[in-house]
Amino acid sequence: MTGQPSGPPGPATSGTGSPATTGAGSPATTGPTSPVAGGTGSPPTSGTGSLATSGLTKAFGGVTALDAATVEFRHGQVNALIGPNGSGKTTFFNCVTGMIRPDSGRTSYRGADITRRSPHAIARAGIGRTFQLCRVFPRMSALDNVLAAARPDGFWSQLRGARRRVELDRARGWLTRLGIEHLADVEARNMSWGQQKLLELAGVLMSGPETVLLDEPAGGVNPALLDRIGALVRELNAEGRTFVIVEHNMDLVMSISDHVVVFDRGRPIAEGPPAVIRSDERVLGAYLGV
Amino acid sequence: MPSASELPAAPRHRLGGLFRAVAILAVAAAVLSFPSWAPNPYILSAGVVVLNYAVLSTSWNFVGGFTGYISLGHGALAGLGGYATGLLVVRAGLPSFVALAAATLLVAAFAVPVGYAALRVRGASFVIVSIALVLILLLVFQSWASFTGGSRGLVVPRPFPGLLRPEHHRVFFYLFAALLAVALLVWWLVDRSRFGLGLKAIREDEDKAESLGTPTFGYKLVVFVVSAGFTGLAGGLYALWFGDLDPVFQFSILTGSYLVLMALLGGVRQLFGPLVGALVVGIGLEYFKVEFGNTPLHLAATGLLLALVVMFMPDGVLPALGALVDRFLRPAQSSIREVTAAELRDRGSGPPEGDRPADPPASVPVGAPDGRSAEERS
Ligand SMILES: Nc1ncnc2c1ncn2[C@@H]1O[C@H](COP(=O)(O)OP(=O)(O)OP(=O)(O)O)[C@@H](O)[C@H]1O
Ligand SMILES: [Mg+2]
């Protein structure tokens, strides 16, 4: 192999040997403890639109899961997307990430139209997601689960070993940060539900997204872990990542989000800061059944 | 590729590694010395057939093992390689091994549109598409008799006309052994690469891999073309060795099924799985043919074998063997890193995290029911 033609900026300055602390001063985008470098170099300004849809519509047979949904999430913030069961939140994620093709409407991300892009292209554009029913690679070790999310640049770099030290350190760093480093060699299918959720998140973060969509991160998770996930989201946000979180646990939503969008029957019915949403009558009516 | 900055996959047991190395060396020595102790040319030719199976199932395993896509059409890709080689020699007058190389490229090129169409569907649909490939090719090669020779067959001239029969078998035995070595080497390289990890992610959960940014379709297509190339090469070598091609045997679903059986039997996640499977099934098939003649009986026996393996060794012979050796070598578990959560639970202690063990219990509302959040608020 002749050097590293097209790899990501290696840690040439910080010494390639053995980084003592994982991630510290690691290359630009995706180190476990490093802030996200904004795509264009300029720091994201809070409040500007980043992920936005207009008139997004999707029907399954007779059921209209998304009904001309026009939404805009804020870059650099923790956004929450709430709404009753079946109000189209997961379908919204699926359409935005390209896993389902909407019947009509558009999605744009940081100014670019991503409506018709394939899921991997959308992921590479900087949008990562977790799944409501937590998806990991069951017959891979936790470490391999995270390594599989590393995104090598360039065609030929795919042929390099999967366990190069740079990637291993980053993967271990994420496992450590999520508190599951002791499970690195355990196959994902043998891990508990809560551990699998943490592992899924570690994988998504390894792939280096600027914007992370979480579908019910608190589903089936005990209160202690819930606090940890909440704190982690805030930390990752402070490092520059944008979040959109679908969640039914109102305590979590109200405590971590900057901006809340409420869905009902496939379209937004209200949005605003948590304190306002909490007392919005339409929300109370649609969501809490008051 | 391999560089100083790579670390070994996982700490293996010393004795386990030794056992593995000895087993590999023993099999390699047995295979390589086979032509000298094979009692007669017939047995030697059976050895060539078995090695051909080993190359084919290892080639199949590029797709089947890494991505989990089960193709029954690889027999037809081999047949195509055979016919392409034969026709290039007979009709275009190319030297045998130039024809072989050209045929390999042709099959690989043919695999691009085939893969492009077939890899869009998953699971059972992919299996059916791969069967369709066999039937279409059979039909074409049977009915286009003016070019292919049709059901009368195609006679391919031998590349070394001066050689006597036993020598001819010997030379091809070693050619197949060399091809097997190359196929195994490439499979091993893919296995440890980022590309290979991406392919395995596809096998585990294709949509999930895609959502993490893996261009799954491109990955599948590339590995399908590599697999088809090796398969076509083996088919072409077979044509040069056997010298007589018949569409019914070249484009047969049975061949494809044997390859699947061999790989599953040996273990599709193992480098040497298909080889071991090919040795077991190939030797079995040849033996049954000698004992019972070419009756359906050997098919029944093979079917029974497959059923037994699926029931008792769902991951194949090699992993079952590995587990046995492991149990033998380390009776007392000490390191936590080797213990699965399930085993820990069996011992009565929870997993280190202290979370609920195993899968989400039915009582945990994963998709929270209506009103749950209201309750939690109060
Ligand atoms: N693949 C599908 N096929 C058919 N109908 C679907 C499909 N996916 C979603 N739906 C329907 O679309 C509607 C919206 O579902 P969706 O999963 O988006 O709701 P949600 O807001 O995520 O609900 P929850 O809070 O329960 O997760 C529901 O009526 C659902 O039955
Ligand atoms: Mg949902």
Side-chain angles (χ1 to χ4, degrees), chain A residues 93-94 96-100 118-131 134-137 148-151 200 203-209 211-213, chain B residues 122 201-202 205-217:
Chain A
F93 273 11
N94 286 337
V96 164
T97 54
M99 308 201 76
I100 288 181
S118 58
H120 76 263
I122 292 174
R124 281 169 180 254
I127 302 178
R129 74 170 291 187
T130 64
F131 291 85
C134 183
R135 283 164 91 160
V136 290
F137 302 122
R151 292 190 318 209
E200 183 182 33
V204 169
L205 292 168
M206 179 77 176
S207 74
T211 297
V212 188
L213 315 184
Chain B
R122 302 179 190 176
I202 291 173
D205 185 340
E206 190 165 343
D207 292 330
K208 173 71 185 177
E210 177 83 17
S211 83
L212 287 172
T214 308
T216 55
F217 190 72

Side-chain angles (χ1 to χ4, degrees), chain B residues 34-246:
Chain B
F34 178 74
S36 8
W37 52 264
N40 58 52
Y42 179 80
I43 302 282
L44 182 54
S45 76
V48 177
V49 170
V50 171
L51 268 193
N52 178 41
Y53 277 139
V55 177
L56 288 175
S57 60
T58 301
S59 309
W60 176 91
N61 209 35
F62 278 95
V63 174
F66 287 130
T67 70
Y69 277 66
I70 303 296
S71 158
L72 287 179
H74 269 58
L77 293 173
L80 195 64
Y83 261 99
T85 306
L87 288 170
L88 284 170
V89 173
V90 174
R91 306 256 181 245
L94 289 185
S96 300
F97 288 93
V98 175
L100 179 64
T104 304
L105 294 180
L106 267 173
V107 174
F110 174 75
V112 173
V114 169
Y116 197 82
L119 293 167
R120 294 192 175 274
V121 293
R122 302 179 190 176
S125 311
F126 178 79
V127 178
I128 290 168
V129 172
S130 73
I131 292 174
L133 173 72
V134 181
L135 298 180
I136 291 169
L137 285 178
L138 174 62
L139 215 69
V140 168
F141 276 79
Q142 253 179 348
S143 45
W144 194 8
S146 61
F147 185 62
T148 65
S151 353
R152 277 178 293 112
L154 180 75
V155 174
V156 184
R158 307 238 157 132
F160 316 108
L163 284 189
L164 293 175
R165 252 187 192 238
E167 268 311 293
H168 178 78
H169 292 330
R170 231 169 88 91
V171 168
F172 272 92
F173 186 89
Y174 285 119
L175 283 175
F176 273 109
L179 182 53
L180 177 62
V182 174
L184 288 171
L185 178 70
V186 175
W187 200 92
W188 179 77
L189 283 173
V190 172
D191 187 37
R192 60 205 305 284
S193 70
R194 294 160 159 186
F195 177 53
L197 191 57
L199 292 171
K200 285 178 255 182
I202 291 173
R203 174 182 73 202
E204 295 290 302
D205 185 340
E206 190 165 343
D207 292 330
K208 173 71 185 177
E210 177 83 17
S211 83
L212 287 172
T214 308
T216 55
F217 190 72
Y219 271 43
K220 288 186 294 183
L221 193 58
V222 168
V223 88
F224 184 75
V225 169
V226 170
S227 170
F230 274 111
T231 308
L233 182 53
L237 201 56
Y238 178 87
L240 292 180
W241 170 65
F242 198 70
D244 189 0
L245 302 176
D246 182 331

